[in-house]
Amino acid sequence: MTTLLEMRNITKTFPGVKALDDVSIAVRDGEIHAICGENGAGKSTLMKVLSGVYPAGSYEGEIVYDGAAAEFRDIRDSEDRGIIIIHQELALVPLLSIAENIYLGNERAQSGVINWQETFQQTEGLLKKVGLREAPGTLVDSLGVGKQQLVEIAKALSKNVRLLILDEPTAALSESDSQALLDLLLELKAQGVTSIIISHKLNEVKRVADSVTVIRDGATISTIDARGGDLTEDRIVRDMVGRDMAHRFPDRTRRAGEVLFELKNWNVRHPEHRDRQMIRDLSMHVRAGEVVGIAGLMGSGRTELAMSVFGRSYGRDISGEVLIHGKPADVSTVDRAIAAGLAYVTEDRKSLGLILEETIQRNTSLANLGAVAKNGVVEDFRETEVAEKYRRDLNIRTPSVFQKVMNLSGGNQQKVVLAKWLFTEPEVLILDEPTRGIDVGAKYEIYGIINELSAAGKAVIMISSEMPELLGMSDRIYVMNEGSFVGELNADEASQERIMSLIVRE
Amino acid sequence: MDQIEQANSEPSGGLGIGAYIARHIREYGLLFALIAIMLFFQIVTGGTLLKPVNITNLFLQNSYIIIMALGMLLVIVGGNIDLSVGSVMGFIGAFAAVLIVSMDLPVAVAIPACLVMGMAIGAVQGYFVAYWKIPSFIVTLAGMLVFRGLSLWLLEGQSIGPFPKSFQALSTGFIADPFGVGRPNMLALAVGVAAVVLLVWLGLRARSRDARYGIEGEPLGLFVLRNAIVAAALLFVTWKLAWFRGLPNVLLSMVILTIIYVFVTERTTLGRRVYAVGGNSKAAKLSGIRTERLTFLTFVNMGLLAALAGLVFAARLNTATPKAGFAVELDVIAAVFIGGASMSGGSGKIIGAVVGAFIMGVMNNGMSILGIGIDYQQVIKGLVLLAAVFFDVYNKNKEA
């Protein structure tokens, strides 16, 4: 096999930071090449160098593409050569149709007049290729994230892609959508498309990658050939974090006490479509000191359940009962839910969890500002003390608590969200995808925090799409499908297969 | 003194004055821009700008803009905008004229009635914005038309005046000098000195507290320089005022209002939560903050201040005219943005808005003294607004 792309000794410096330090990577023609590394390791920077976001001349080193030295001046330049990036945050216009999105900026047109027939016909062909059964005229808005991802890939194909780069393509996808996407990648590979995939999900990397390059702290650590058979998850993790991680989940002693949180006959309808029942007659309980997982596919109603309990932040016509310590609790608004001892760490920390433009200190105190105030006047020295305490306790890596949250890495941002909720001194914590999009090291730390919370007698509910995490952390797992629980498994009897079969059997 | 030394050496050890200014370029830039503009007009008007009578005029002319800028800052920080304030201001002036001049109600009754009316107007607009999620641009655009029309209707297209002396005192009155010296007005001088002492004391206290909590503070040299400039300006202005008629009533109410709003925005949970709502309303809501109620309150507050501005304006002109408040909302909004507030909400400072209003005011006043036509005045003001916001965006991009 020949080499399609070689990036040699790439060094990229930002004022004060060396983001890439002598990174080299070689991608063979027709392979799927995975790039792994912790957040902030330099993966995205490397891809921006490759795609011309950082133009030639702004970095040191050379890029050899398709047998010749390449100097891309901008994205358009690299796209002309068949290098296409699909970013983690999808770049689709929601209120345009699939066809319009695919040919956006690349319209099938003669002298500025769009040929709709050609557009739709070609779109149909592309959609067939990526296995998306939707009409070309469908608005992107009405598609789920998984299908939108497919539209992005169809868009890439429309540009005669040779090298497809996917940045965390499955981060927001459900298990089955992820599988479908990975299958598609393998199929594209069979058709001769080379891919680079950046991913945190090692099982997926293991499944599709022909070779893996691990980057740490802006430098290449290792390149592993998967076909040789020496690719193991442990090996990748070791290279990523630079230390041996014997256990991906910290040990915990199980000590469940009395029932702390109870939900009885919970019903929720869709906020706009009243006829759609999102949560159906659901009951659950969590004991003090227990970590209870909720497994389920995307759209099974896990987030809707959590948000409807937390101050009716989702849905309408909500009925049912919430008991805390056996007594009915008023959770009808968010502030009442907080007062009742509930905390909800949202799935989407950037848009729902944090005020990015504000400091760590102000985000930490946000949900319990009254506790650092007297007669409505904030005592900022007390606020600083609180923020400092959580910075130490949760090991938030930052020069100071006056740093804006937007400057932190994903893992540290997530710790700030946790700090905010811990400061409300909750009894019941609902964690919705608590480790999404954060690196292995930070994940481990967050698992440690969860264990400490349960050791302190809190009731923890963990919603996660990552099965190993659910299995590794939970004492008990509820399996959810279409708005109700279809099974309940104890830690010792749970496995990925059993959970999936419970979902599928419905 | 000991604590100050520590404050300087400890946290800001590695940071020079230049680097510090570069990082806080927005705050210093605004102050220096105001000074530069004042110096410029002082020179080109041949010293007229800073004559005692003109300084007094500057405050009187701009008081209503500054009063409304205080409320507008909160509205904008909360992620909204209010286009109706000019019309509301005119409407309240007309309402006051009808109550006081046509219906002969006592001033002590009419003023509270007008303020309550302003709050009611703000409440109605805020209700649609906060609870029905109608964009504030649309709601207040409607309000702008409605209240412009209503003031025409109230006044039947005529001007109503004059007002009794007690009402005029709202704006054109001066505080009596208890020391009874006359010129120079001892009260004005005493207030000037007291203000300087208070500012320096507050600054020192904040510095020593910052040092105690390891907060990186302003380098000592810069702290001294900045306070020296502000103190000199304060003493200069009060000295000049003392040689005219002393402290105008409206200056006092402006200063008190500014202090109240600085306190509310920077120190209280209420103010903090408004910033949170503007910064990310979904996150704020999920943190237990009643976002709708806060948005509603920013509009009620805006209505109250627009009403106050309407009274001050009518009192100064001594008549209510159908044209009062025309296009004033633009000056108010411009002042807030020149002062560094962000269009998307979540950031901006009261002091910034006040300085922004003064920048607009000094330019208006200076250009009028020079006899520059209203046409060029508009062009120049527009360019200054664009330049200020461009400066913001440019710095932000450089940071990123």
Side-chain angles (χ1 to χ4, degrees):
Chain A
M1 249 191 225
T2 55
T3 301
L4 176 66
L5 169 78
E6 210 183 336
M7 298 177 80
R8 287 189 200 133
N9 311 104
I10 304 287
T11 297
K12 167 84 187 162
T13 326
F14 294 110
V17 204
K18 219 171 203 181
L20 294 176
D21 188 5
D22 200 24
V23 173
S24 298
I25 169 176
V27 180
R28 286 173 309 219
D29 204 358
E31 74 165 348
I32 297 180
H33 193 111
I35 298 180
C36 297
E38 292 195 316
N39 283 346
K43 299 162 296 183
S44 298
T45 311
L46 185 67
M47 290 306 107
K48 282 179 178 166
V49 166
L50 173 58
S51 59
V53 172
Y54 300 132
S58 73
Y59 55 86
E60 292 158 45
E62 55 178 345
I63 301 176
V64 179
Y65 176 67
D66 202 11
E71 294 192 336
F72 300 125
R73 288 184 307 271
D74 52 29
I75 291 208
R76 197 137 195 143
D77 226 12
S78 63
E79 282 195 352
D80 285 345
R81 300 285 307 274
I83 300 177
I84 309 235
I85 280 206
I86 297 178
H87 291 282
Q88 200 174 348
E89 275 99 30
L90 299 179
L92 297 172
V93 186
L95 291 178
L96 292 183
S97 68
I98 294 178
E100 283 169 307
N101 265 291
I102 286 180
Y103 288 104
L104 190 64
N106 184 23
E107 288 83 1
R108 309 288 91 187
Q110 281 88 42
S111 40
V113 180
I114 295 179
N115 183 342
W116 286 111
Q117 203 191 339
E118 189 188 335
T119 305
F120 280 103
Q121 269 174 6
Q122 294 190 357
T123 302
E124 269 175 17
L126 291 169
L127 293 185
K128 203 169 283 172
K129 261 193 196 166
V130 298
L132 179 59
R133 273 183 302 189
E134 292 282 347
T138 312
L139 292 189
V140 162
D141 203 20
S142 63
L143 303 178
V145 199
K147 288 181 175 176
Q148 292 192 10
Q149 190 79 259
L150 295 179
V151 174
E152 282 273 18
I153 294 178
K155 184 174 173 181
L157 293 179
S158 78
K159 294 175 186 164
N160 297 320
V161 61
R162 281 198 68 189
L163 177 60
L164 183 64
I165 303 166
L166 298 124
D167 191 357
E168 299 275 354
T170 61
L173 299 193
S174 68
E175 192 73 23
S176 61
D177 280 350
S178 304
Q179 294 306 325
L181 184 80
L182 297 175
D183 287 338
L184 177 61
L185 283 185
L186 291 171
E187 204 177 303
L188 290 175
K189 177 176 119 176
Q191 291 167 22
V193 176
T194 311
S195 309
I196 294 178
I197 167 171
I198 296 177
S199 182
H200 280 125
K201 297 191 182 168
L202 302 184
N203 55 341
E204 296 178 355
V205 167
K206 205 176 154 210
R207 194 178 141 204
V208 297
D210 298 303
S211 44
V212 178
T213 297
V214 180
I215 296 179
R216 189 203 322 148
D217 300 331
T220 316
I221 299 302
S222 60
T223 298
I224 312 164
D225 196 331
R227 292 169 310 178
D230 52 356
L231 181 72
T232 61
E233 290 187 27
D234 286 344
R235 165 85 198 274
I236 303 176
V237 170
R238 197 169 60 229
D239 287 347
M240 276 168 71
V241 299
R243 59 184 179 273
D244 226 330
M245 207 178 271
H247 306 288
R248 281 174 54 197
F249 303 97
D251 291 327
R252 58 187 302 251
T253 41
R254 308 209 153 125
R255 212 173 8 185
E258 58 173 33
V259 172
L260 207 173
F261 172 82
E262 216 171 338
L263 194 63
K264 282 186 176 164
N265 309 103
W266 199 250
N267 284 288
V268 181
R269 287 179 186 279
H270 192 280
E272 277 117 47
H273 311 286
R274 280 183 92 151
D275 49 324
R276 283 178 63 190
Q277 182 136 17
M278 301 305 289
I279 305 293
R280 189 169 289 124
D281 212 25
L282 184 145
S283 298
M284 69 181 291
H285 69 275
V286 186
R287 294 174 181 280
E290 199 180 23
V291 178
V292 170
I294 299 182
L297 303 178
M298 261 220 193
S300 59
R302 297 170 305 175
T303 298
E304 289 79 0
L305 170 65
M307 289 186 72
S308 63
V309 170
F310 191 64
R312 312 204 166 174
S313 304
Y314 174 87
R316 64 191 300 167
D317 303 339
I318 297 173
S319 67
E321 220 183 338
V322 175
L323 304 176
I324 292 176
H325 287 305
K327 293 188 201 83
D330 180 4
V331 295
S332 54
T333 64
V334 175
D335 48 328
R336 284 180 196 152
I338 294 172
L342 246 53
Y344 171 54
V345 173
T346 50
E347 161 183 39
D348 183 340
R349 66 179 159 268
K350 279 188 181 162
S351 73
L352 299 178
L354 293 167
I355 300 172
L356 293 171
E357 288 268 356
E358 282 285 13
T359 60
I360 295 168
Q361 168 174 331
R362 291 188 166 200
N363 273 287
T364 304
S365 63
L366 186 64
N368 195 14
L369 200 51
V372 289
K374 208 195 242 164
N375 303 323
V377 179
V378 179
E379 301 186 312
D380 38 8
F381 56 94
R382 264 169 66 196
E383 197 184 14
T384 308
E385 281 169 1
V386 167
E388 285 289 351
K389 172 183 179 300
Y390 284 106
R391 176 168 84 127
R392 281 191 309 271
D393 289 359
L394 305 188
N395 192 20
I396 300 171
R397 282 183 209 97
T398 169
S400 92
V401 293
F402 308 107
Q403 188 73 233
K404 281 185 183 170
V405 173
M406 60 192 282
N407 297 330
L408 301 180
S409 71
N412 283 311
Q413 286 183 347
Q414 189 69 355
K415 288 183 198 165
V416 176
V417 179
L418 279 172
K420 175 175 86 174
W421 288 114
L422 295 186
F423 183 48
T424 66
E425 294 178 354
E427 301 245 28
V428 182
L429 272 110
I430 309 173
L431 310 174
D432 199 346
E433 305 282 1
T435 66
R436 166 173 293 174
I438 68 180
D439 59 60
V440 179
K443 271 185 185 177
Y444 191 84
E445 288 182 271
I446 284 180
Y447 297 145
I449 295 166
I450 294 175
N451 283 345
E452 277 171 32
L453 290 171
S454 78
K458 316 270 185 201
V460 179
I461 300 171
M462 188 167 84
I463 298 171
S464 176
S465 294
E466 289 185 41
M467 293 260 200
E469 173 176 291
L470 276 181
L471 295 168
M473 289 299 299
S474 312
D475 300 330
R476 194 152 55 84
I477 297 175
Y478 287 107
V479 183
M480 192 167 187
N481 195 22
E482 295 187 343
S484 39
F485 287 154
V486 294
E488 183 183 341
L489 300 167
N490 278 324
D492 45 7
E493 53 179 354
S495 68
Q496 294 207 26
E497 292 74 24
R498 287 202 62 176
I499 292 174
M500 276 320 287
S501 75
L502 278 171
I503 293 173
V504 177
R505 210 177 47 201
E506 263 297 288
Chain B
M1 220 32 219
D2 216 311
Q3 276 171 329
I4 307 162
E5 287 300 330
Q6 263 181 7
N8 186 40
S9 57
E10 260 270 305
S12 56
L15 206 64
I17 288 184
Y20 188 85
I21 290 187
R23 206 184 300 169
H24 296 84
I25 189 80
R26 196 59 181 80
E27 289 92 337
Y28 292 103
L30 201 62
L31 188 62
F32 290 137
L34 178 62
I35 293 170
I37 289 172
M38 288 184 81
L39 282 179
F40 173 76
F41 281 111
Q42 171 71 355
I43 293 165
V44 295
T45 59
T48 311
L49 185 82
L50 295 181
K51 281 202 172 131
V53 59
N54 196 51
I55 289 188
T56 307
N57 259 334
L58 258 175
F59 287 121
L60 295 185
Q61 278 172 2
N62 294 299
S63 52
Y64 63 99
I65 304 248
I66 291 170
I67 289 170
M68 288 198 287
L70 300 174
M72 187 66 78
L73 180 96
L74 278 170
V75 169
I76 287 176
V77 163
N80 292 297
I81 195 127
D82 191 341
L83 301 174
S84 72
V85 294
S87 296
V88 171
M89 176 189 138
F91 173 73
I92 294 292
F95 187 59
V98 169
L99 290 183
I100 296 171
V101 181
S102 311
M103 294 171 63
D104 229 3
L105 279 179
V107 171
V109 175
I111 290 180
C114 286
L115 296 180
V116 169
M117 174 62 98
M119 286 164 75
I121 291 170
V124 171
Q125 300 195 105
Y127 170 74
F128 286 112
V129 175
Y131 296 101
W132 288 95
K133 308 274 184 285
I134 302 176
S136 53
F137 190 95
I138 294 169
V139 171
T140 59
L141 183 64
M144 175 178 164
L145 296 168
V146 167
F147 293 107
R148 174 69 43 214
L150 284 180
S151 39
L152 276 170
W153 170 76
L154 261 187
L155 296 170
E156 292 165 339
Q158 310 282 311
S159 293
I160 299 184
F163 287 102
K165 272 269 176 297
S166 56
F167 183 75
Q168 287 178 44
L170 255 186
S171 182
T172 48
F174 291 82
I175 300 164
D177 188 349
F179 306 109
V181 181
R183 286 189 194 186
N185 183 306
M186 283 303 166
L187 178 70
L189 293 182
V191 165
V193 172
V196 168
V197 171
L198 189 69
L199 268 185
V200 172
W201 181 68
L202 284 176
L204 289 178
R205 210 180 62 150
R207 275 182 78 80
S208 72
R209 208 186 49 214
D210 284 0
R212 219 175 316 141
Y213 289 94
I215 301 172
E216 177 197 297
E218 201 174 18
L220 183 63
L222 201 61
F223 175 78
V224 170
L225 179 70
R226 186 176 54 85
N227 276 290
I229 292 175
V230 172
L234 268 174
L235 291 175
F236 179 80
V237 166
T238 44
W239 173 255
K240 291 284 184 176
L241 289 176
W243 285 98
F244 186 56
R245 291 175 58 190
L247 296 176
N249 287 342
V250 70
L251 176 64
L252 187 74
S253 31
M254 253 164 46
V255 170
I256 291 175
L257 280 175
T258 304
I259 291 172
I260 291 174
Y261 278 90
V262 167
F263 182 77
V264 168
T265 52
E266 293 186 2
R267 297 295 306 279
T268 64
T269 53
L270 184 74
R272 187 68 74 74
R273 286 175 178 151
V274 172
Y275 281 81
V277 171
N280 185 345
S281 73
K282 286 181 191 160
K285 197 170 173 143
L286 283 171
S287 299
I289 292 172
R290 290 185 218 158
T291 54
E292 285 94 356
R293 207 181 58 160
L294 277 179
T295 303
F296 176 74
L297 286 178
T298 58
F299 277 93
V300 173
N301 173 64
M302 183 72 251
L304 172 67
L305 291 174
L308 181 60
L311 295 176
V312 167
F313 189 78
R316 190 170 80 88
L317 289 191
N318 198 15
T319 172
T321 77
K323 292 206 84 174
F326 185 72
V328 164
E329 61 277 353
L330 303 180
D331 278 359
V332 174
I333 293 169
V336 171
F337 286 133
I338 287 177
S342 146
M343 183 81 205
S344 52
S347 73
K349 283 190 165 176
I350 287 287
I351 290 296
V354 171
V355 174
F358 268 115
I359 288 180
M360 295 287 280
V362 170
M363 289 197 319
N364 277 336
N365 182 278
M367 289 190 291
S368 297
I369 295 172
L370 288 175
I372 294 175
I374 192 80
D375 42 1
Y376 288 114
Q377 287 199 20
Q378 304 261 12
V379 172
I380 292 170
K381 273 156 60 181
L383 292 178
V384 167
L385 170 63
L386 184 64
V389 176
F390 173 77
F391 186 66
D392 262 2
V393 174
Y394 176 79
N395 278 312
K396 226 177 205 163
N397 285 347
K398 219 168 54 176
E399 248 176 61

